Amino acid sequence: MDLRAIGMGLAFALMWSSAFTSARMIVAEAAPLHALALRFLISGGLGVIIAFAMGQRARLTRSQWRATIVFGICQNALYLGLNFVAMQWVEASLAAIVASTMPLIVAFAGWLLFGEKVRPLGILGLSAGVIGVAVIMGSRLSEGVSLPGLALCGMGVLALSFATLSVRSASSGGNVLMIVGLQMLVGSACLGTVAAVAEPWHVTWSARLVTAFAYTTLVPGLAATWVWFTLVKRIGAVRAATFHFLNPFFGVAIAATLLHEGLEWADVLGVAIIAAGILAVQLSRQSERRMPVPVAPQAATQQG
């Protein structure tokens, strides 16, 4: 993995983790599904407009359309929709910790479904990641947590894992930003439909709400998603997914700073263990390997 990929991964993890704090601010003052549907409508519209200005067009193959729709539903509508609803009852830091288990699910699915081999050092690193997350999670659970909210976060990370395995073919073909915008519009349509039927509209306007919404729309929404697509295309889904191990650190740190959520010794210990796990996984993944794609593998292009 080159320095550019590492920089992209760190930037993505920071932007992605900050979304939990801004989401917590939003759902405290607005209906979560309505707010998220509007966020994706704006982000997706901007993405398509910018992509069009850059010469990109929505001329995708059938497999690319299928993967884009799957990603829009699983990552945007399911993963983020479930997390936005859960954030009404769980802390932003806890949601970030749950989401950080995604690389483990992706790696396990790669081994179980596609015959991906995991080296001993990689297994050690993934195990360290599990232990680190468990240390942090154990401390949080002992302090009391909403089980329904935690269950929603768990279902969301399963949807995110499936989306991660599907993103490979959607990012090929050179229309990255166009695809980012399109999958956001897919998510907006799904969430808007559900919100109209199942969620009463309410909003309490404030400067914090407007700032958090604007930030979430432009940074974690548009910029981070584009970086993620580009990173997956550069180094592959499983290797890119290891950067999610940084999310407990960034998620807890940002929430503690902006939302004054508690930061305990277990958080520090867990982050240190997870950091060691990241190093082990990255060292075990230095050699290039090809990651099979669950949808339209024949459409896959070169993988870094």
Side-chain angles (χ1 to χ4, degrees):
M1 185 180 300
D2 56 30
L3 290 178
R4 182 180 178 184
I6 293 174
M8 290 171 62
L10 292 174
F12 164 77
L14 182 60
M15 291 187 290
W16 193 85
S17 299
S18 68
F20 294 96
T21 293
S22 58
R24 179 78 165 167
M25 294 178 180
I26 292 171
V27 301
E29 301 180 30
L33 296 182
H34 280 88
L36 189 57
L38 179 59
R39 165 196 154 176
F40 282 135
L41 180 61
I42 297 173
S43 295
L46 287 174
V48 169
I49 291 171
I50 295 172
F52 192 86
M54 294 172 60
Q56 298 181 21
R57 298 294 182 266
R59 292 191 290 267
L60 310 180
T61 65
R62 181 178 299 179
S63 63
Q64 289 174 328
W65 274 115
R66 182 167 57 247
T68 299
I69 292 171
V70 168
F71 190 88
I73 293 173
C74 292
Q75 199 267 0
N76 293 331
L78 290 177
Y79 163 66
L80 285 172
L82 290 167
N83 270 273
F84 259 60
V85 173
M87 216 85 67
Q88 297 174 105
W89 308 296
V90 302
E91 291 186 336
S93 53
L94 180 59
I97 292 167
V98 173
S100 70
T101 63
M102 187 271 285
L104 308 176
I105 300 172
V106 169
F108 178 76
W111 167 74
L112 183 65
L113 301 177
F114 310 124
E116 282 284 301
K117 294 182 179 179
V118 182
R119 297 178 180 179
L121 183 59
I123 294 174
L124 181 63
L126 292 173
S127 300
V130 173
I131 293 171
V133 170
V135 169
I136 299 173
M137 187 73 72
S139 173
R140 297 303 180 104
L141 289 175
S142 66
E143 297 174 358
V145 66
S146 168
L147 293 182
L150 186 60
L152 290 175
C153 290
M155 289 187 289
V157 77
L158 291 176
L160 176 62
S161 301
F162 184 79
T164 300
L165 290 169
S166 301
V167 70
R168 182 63 183 85
S169 63
S171 63
S172 62
N175 281 348
V176 175
L177 189 55
M178 177 64 72
I179 290 173
V180 168
L182 291 173
Q183 55 90 3
M184 286 181 176
L185 293 178
V186 170
S188 177
C190 295
L191 289 166
T193 301
V194 174
V197 174
E199 182 183 70
W201 165 255
H202 69 87
V203 60
T204 302
W205 293 104
S206 68
R208 189 175 87 152
L209 173 62
V210 173
T211 301
F213 184 85
Y215 174 83
T216 302
T217 300
L218 298 175
V219 181
L222 190 58
T225 307
W226 179 81
V227 170
W228 174 250
F229 269 78
T230 307
L231 181 64
V232 168
K233 183 178 180 180
R234 188 178 185 87
I235 65 175
V238 173
R239 296 173 71 187
T242 59
F243 283 102
H244 281 274
F245 277 132
L246 289 170
N247 289 312
F249 170 75
F250 288 144
V252 169
I254 295 171
T257 302
L258 298 180
L259 299 178
H260 308 293
E261 293 184 3
L263 183 62
E264 306 293 338
W265 67 268
D267 298 324
V268 178
L269 177 61
V271 166
I273 297 173
I274 291 171
I278 294 172
L279 178 60
V281 170
Q282 298 294 16
L283 289 176
S284 73
R285 292 286 186 173
Q286 282 185 350
S287 64
E288 303 295 333
R289 63 177 57 182
R290 184 170 294 275
M291 174 68 181
V293 185
V295 288
Q298 71 275 11
T301 55
Q302 181 182 2
Q303 176 165 345

